């Protein structure tokens, strides 16, 4: 990590002097405040801009209310509970949440670059300061946003924002400082290979769910046009509606994943959307929900997908594990059982990631019937997916590893030399 100080500004292979480094860097606290503040303003301005555009298209309300609505959306994206009248909104729009996490990741990289931190204690202090500043900013916004019927929990705003900043910001700090490479080098190769394999499995599940959702949306496209005609949002309103749908698309994809897992999801109290049957009744006029099957039994091919998708995703993870493992110098010393174990670990990690996404995507979307939305059985759904992926990963990794060409002793000595 000590060589990270020579990265910025190095030209023609000449390392900067300590005085030049000190002139370019800022104190840790200053770097954390500037970077966290920039992330906070970026997210707030984005949400406020969409809200103001919606206000311009509306015939009621004021600009201050629109700005508070944008700030409320920003807070909800951090999983802060917002109470409006008699209902609570706690369903995080994952599209916006992922955007804010990306901003915090970039902010963490900027903080590490401007501070020049490279020692462990400095990196820890920078991560803590970055998360604390961002969390305090969210707490202040929660206090300023609360007005009349609109209430926001300052504690949940602080904890949600600080947690996201700590995770995403620390990732950026580790990458920029070079500490991430040091941690990866110190991690055993077997465990290190499971991380990209787990992400490959998660992306495979998302790809299958996205394709299924697109097919169902195309089948029920007449519902989409009917909802748009019913809403009659106009040009500006359509732009706002598109932005809202864009923020909620990842939520819908996660719900489809829960559907493929078996337990399914719900779009209101007492509703069920699962492979075993659908009981949802009337839905809000949101075009994204046009793909929801009608009440009754679901098509048989959906039942087949619940078994196929986890196995295929696990096979992808197993393939990644074996391909990376065979590139290691001691690959010939590993048996098929070692690769199968790595595949199972990757599947378990993928299940944890999917569980976190399911937990974030659910909550309350308003009063009454909409007080329960999301995946009530997030843990069983993630467990089913992890089990299916573990089977696919273990079998794939074991088969490929057992069929690899053997290297005789002479060739092994030559490779070692």
């Amino acid at each position: 990590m000590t060589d990270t100080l020579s990265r910025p500004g190095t030209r023609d292979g000449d390392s900067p002097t300590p005085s030049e480094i000190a002139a370019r860097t800022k104190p840790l606290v200053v770097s954390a405040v500037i970077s966290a503040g920039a992330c906070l303003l970026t997210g707030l301005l984005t949400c406020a801009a969409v809200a103001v555009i919606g206000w311009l298209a509306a015939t009621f309300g004021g600009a201050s209310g629109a700005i508070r609505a944008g700030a409320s959306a920003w807070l909800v994206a951090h999983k802060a509970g917002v109470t409006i009248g008699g209902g609570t909104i706690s369903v995080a729009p994952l599209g916006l949440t992922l955007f804010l996490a990306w901003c915090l990741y970039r902010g963490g990289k900027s903080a590490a670059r401007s501070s020049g931190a490279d020692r462990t204690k400095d990196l820890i202090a920078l991560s803590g300061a970055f998360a604390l500043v961002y969390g305090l900013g969210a707490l202040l916004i929660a206090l300023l946003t609360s007005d009349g019927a609109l209430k926001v929990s300052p504690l949940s705003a602080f904890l949600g924002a600080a947690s996201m900043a700590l995770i995403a910001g620390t990732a950026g700090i580790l990458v920029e400082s070079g500490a991430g490479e040091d941690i990866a080098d110190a991690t055993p190769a077997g465990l290190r290979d499971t991380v990209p394999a787990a992400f490959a499995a998660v992306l495979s599940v998302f790809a299958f769910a996205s394709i299924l959702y697109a097919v169902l949306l195309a089948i029920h496209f007449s519902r989409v046009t009917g909802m748009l005609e019913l809403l009659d949002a106009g040009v500006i309103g359509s732009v706002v509606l598109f932005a809202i749908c864009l923020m909620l698309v990842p939520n819908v994809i996660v719900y489809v994943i829960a559907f493929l897992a078996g337990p399914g999801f719900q779009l209101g109290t007492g509703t069920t959307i699962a492979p075993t049957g659908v009981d949802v009744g009337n839905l809000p006029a949101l075009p994204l929900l046009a793909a929801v099957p009608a009440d009754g039994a679901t098509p048989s091919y959906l039942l087949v997908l619940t078994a196929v998708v986890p196995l295929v995703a696990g096979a992808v993870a197993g393939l990644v594990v074996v391909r990376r493992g065979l590139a290691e110098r001691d690959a010939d010393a590993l048996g098929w059982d070692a690769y199968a174990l790595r595949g199972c670990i990757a599947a378990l990690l993928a299940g944890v990631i999917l569980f976190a996404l399911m937990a974030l995507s659910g909550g309350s979307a308003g009063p009454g019937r909409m007080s329960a939305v999301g995946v009530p059985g997030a843990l069983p759904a993630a467990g089913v997916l992890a089990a299916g992926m573990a089977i696919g990963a273990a079998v794939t990794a074991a088969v490929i590893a057992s069929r690899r060409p053997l290297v005789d002793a002479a060739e092994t000595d030559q490779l070692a030399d």
Side-chain angles (χ1 to χ4, degrees):
M1 287 186 288
T2 55
D3 63 346
T4 58
L5 294 178
S6 63
R7 291 180 183 178
T10 302
R11 296 179 180 178
D12 301 328
D14 296 330
S15 299
T17 62
S19 60
E20 292 174 338
I21 295 174
R24 285 200 298 267
T25 58
K26 300 181 180 65
L28 292 178
V29 176
V30 174
S31 298
V33 171
I34 294 175
S35 299
C39 295
L40 191 146
L41 288 177
T42 300
L44 274 179
L45 291 177
T46 301
C47 296
V50 175
V52 169
I53 292 174
W55 167 72
L56 293 174
T59 58
F60 57 88
S64 60
I67 294 175
R68 280 199 300 271
S72 299
W74 183 86
L75 290 167
V76 171
H78 293 88
K79 209 59 180 176
V82 176
T83 302
I84 303 177
T88 302
I89 300 178
S90 60
V91 176
L94 292 184
L96 180 58
T97 301
L98 293 175
F99 169 73
L100 296 176
W102 177 81
C103 291
L104 290 169
Y105 170 77
R106 300 290 300 178
K109 295 186 68 174
S110 176
R113 190 184 310 114
S114 62
S115 66
D118 67 330
R119 293 181 298 178
T120 301
K121 65 177 184 178
D122 292 337
L123 295 176
I124 294 175
L126 182 61
S127 298
F130 183 83
L132 180 62
V133 171
Y134 192 80
L136 290 176
L139 186 148
L140 179 61
I141 293 170
L143 294 175
L144 295 176
T145 301
S146 299
D147 181 36
L150 179 62
K151 301 295 183 182
V152 185
S153 170
L155 180 60
S156 65
F158 172 78
L159 293 177
S163 299
M164 185 186 297
L166 185 62
I167 296 172
T170 300
I173 291 172
L174 292 178
V175 170
E176 183 64 26
S177 65
E181 296 180 2
D182 295 340
I183 294 174
D185 293 339
T187 304
L191 293 178
R192 186 171 63 242
D193 293 344
T194 60
V195 176
F199 279 104
V202 171
L203 291 177
S204 299
V205 173
F206 264 86
F208 279 111
S210 300
I211 293 173
L212 176 60
Y213 175 71
V215 170
L216 293 175
L217 198 63
I219 293 174
H220 300 99
F221 189 74
S222 59
R223 295 182 186 176
V224 178
T225 56
M227 290 180 180
L228 293 176
E229 292 176 358
L230 179 64
L231 292 172
D232 192 19
V235 177
I236 299 180
S238 298
V239 173
V240 177
L241 180 61
F242 175 78
I244 294 174
C245 291
L246 193 63
M247 291 187 295
L248 292 175
V249 164
N251 293 66
V252 178
I253 301 301
V254 171
Y255 297 162
V256 176
I257 293 174
F259 180 91
L260 292 174
F265 61 100
Q266 60 182 3
L267 293 174
T269 304
T271 63
T272 302
I273 301 96
T276 54
V278 177
D279 181 13
V280 67
N282 295 325
L283 293 172
L286 186 64
L288 286 177
L289 303 181
V292 176
D295 290 354
T298 57
S300 57
Y301 68 86
L302 294 179
L303 295 175
V304 176
L305 289 177
T306 59
V308 172
V309 170
L311 292 176
V312 174
V316 173
L319 180 62
V320 172
V321 164
V322 173
R323 289 179 64 88
R324 294 180 65 89
L326 292 179
E328 301 171 9
R329 290 181 58 87
D330 57 346
D332 296 320
L334 298 176
W336 61 267
D337 53 340
Y339 291 104
L341 178 60
R342 294 182 182 183
C344 291
I345 296 175
L348 179 61
L349 180 58
V352 172
I353 296 173
L354 292 173
F355 169 74
L357 292 174
M358 291 178 189
L360 286 174
S361 65
S364 175
R369 182 185 181 216
M370 300 306 295
S371 61
V373 174
V375 187
L379 185 59
V384 170
L385 289 171
M389 289 186 292
I391 295 173
V395 172
T396 302
V399 170
I400 296 178
S402 62
R403 294 175 62 87
R404 58 182 165 167
L406 298 177
V407 181
D408 57 27
E411 292 178 348
T412 303
D413 294 338
Q414 292 177 359
L415 291 175
D417 296 336

